[in-house]
Amino acid sequence: MSADVRLLVLLKAPLAGLVKTRLAATVGAQAALAAHAAMARNVLAAAAASGLATTIHYAPAGERARMEAFCGSGVQLFPQAAGDLGARMADAFSRAFAAGAGAVLLVGGDVPLLDGPLLRQGAAALAGAPAVLGPALDGGYYAIGFTRAGFAPQVFADMPWSTPEVCARTRERLVLAGRAVALLPALPDCDTAEDLRRLARPPWRERLSGTPFGAFLAAASGDTFDRDPDNRLSVP
């Protein structure tokens, strides 16, 4: 089944003031941009290492040239649909299934601990279940996937996005729709300065070593997150 699974990555263009706005409110727009770019590079590296056919769905729609420069040549790119996060995810799934995918796994760009083996695990899970979820530690999810027959777009409608209820409500809707759900390991995402501090400590720091986001954390200096009362990050 994994050879028939398409990986979708939702990414925002690397523009200060557009990305990681909750983080930017604390650490500043430029540091938030640096964090976003490093996280996205981790996710793109994981996608490449997974061996899965990958499509990047980007926003805003007018930033194709910037996304081509950021993602590199040979990457399939589509602009995200209009609407809230749920509408954009539902559209990305629908496009992939219309293009012939047998199963689809979707991830965001703010989970720096993603790696190739984990993405392959998510793809393999769709051989035995119609749906897969990767729970995030904040109550959301970092990955969601469906087989063609298992696709349940209703899980994306009227969802309280960016709240701790998202993953639990999604699982409830999948159960109500008669979909068995395979679960991936829970991982932290990165939306706030506290998330940055957590990722800069063991055990996550060691797992991020040698990655673009690990280099970002090293440059920002993890102890700075704790000793600076204003949480202003100093990033080269």
Side-chain angles (χ1 to χ4, degrees):
M1 166 65 78
S2 60
D4 196 29
V5 179
R6 176 157 287 274
L7 175 65
L8 309 181
V9 181
L10 263 59
L11 281 183
K12 287 185 178 179
L15 291 164
L18 173 71
V19 299
K20 290 292 153 198
T21 53
R22 280 190 287 166
L23 180 60
T26 302
V27 306
Q30 290 302 319
L33 174 60
H36 164 82
M39 280 186 271
R41 289 191 175 101
N42 271 34
V43 172
L44 291 172
S50 75
L52 299 171
T54 301
T55 301
I56 309 298
H57 288 258
Y58 66 91
E63 293 294 334
R64 184 179 183 90
R66 190 183 301 272
M67 292 305 295
E68 287 177 342
F70 183 77
C71 296
S73 60
V75 176
Q76 188 173 45
L77 294 165
F78 283 118
Q80 292 180 26
D84 70 1
L85 178 60
R88 289 180 274 131
M89 289 197 289
D91 177 76
F93 273 100
S94 295
R95 279 178 178 263
F97 286 126
V104 178
L105 180 67
L106 181 147
V107 300
D110 61 352
V111 187
L113 285 152
L114 276 179
D115 58 23
L118 181 56
L119 292 174
R120 288 195 294 273
Q121 180 182 345
L126 290 168
V132 63
L133 276 175
L137 295 182
D138 65 0
Y141 57 79
Y142 65 85
I144 184 168
F146 293 101
T147 62
R148 178 189 292 274
F151 184 42
Q154 63 266 35
V155 304
F156 299 120
D158 301 316
M159 185 65 67
W161 302 111
S162 300
T163 71
E165 305 170 39
V166 170
C167 191
R169 286 202 184 185
T170 301
R171 290 186 68 183
E172 288 171 3
R173 290 188 188 182
L174 288 168
V175 170
L176 287 173
R179 307 297 196 268
V181 185
L183 293 179
L184 297 176
L187 291 178
D189 57 9
C190 187
D191 293 311
T192 67
E194 179 53 38
D195 294 336
L196 282 178
R197 285 192 286 270
R198 185 180 301 112
L199 289 165
R201 302 186 190 115
W204 311 122
R205 181 181 64 201
E206 288 75 16
R207 288 182 58 180
L208 288 163
S209 177
T211 71
F213 193 73
F216 164 79
L217 291 175
S221 182
D223 61 355
T224 300
F225 308 150
D226 294 318
R227 69 168 179 259
D228 186 344
D230 294 324
N231 291 322
R232 306 300 293 189
L233 306 188
S234 176
V235 180

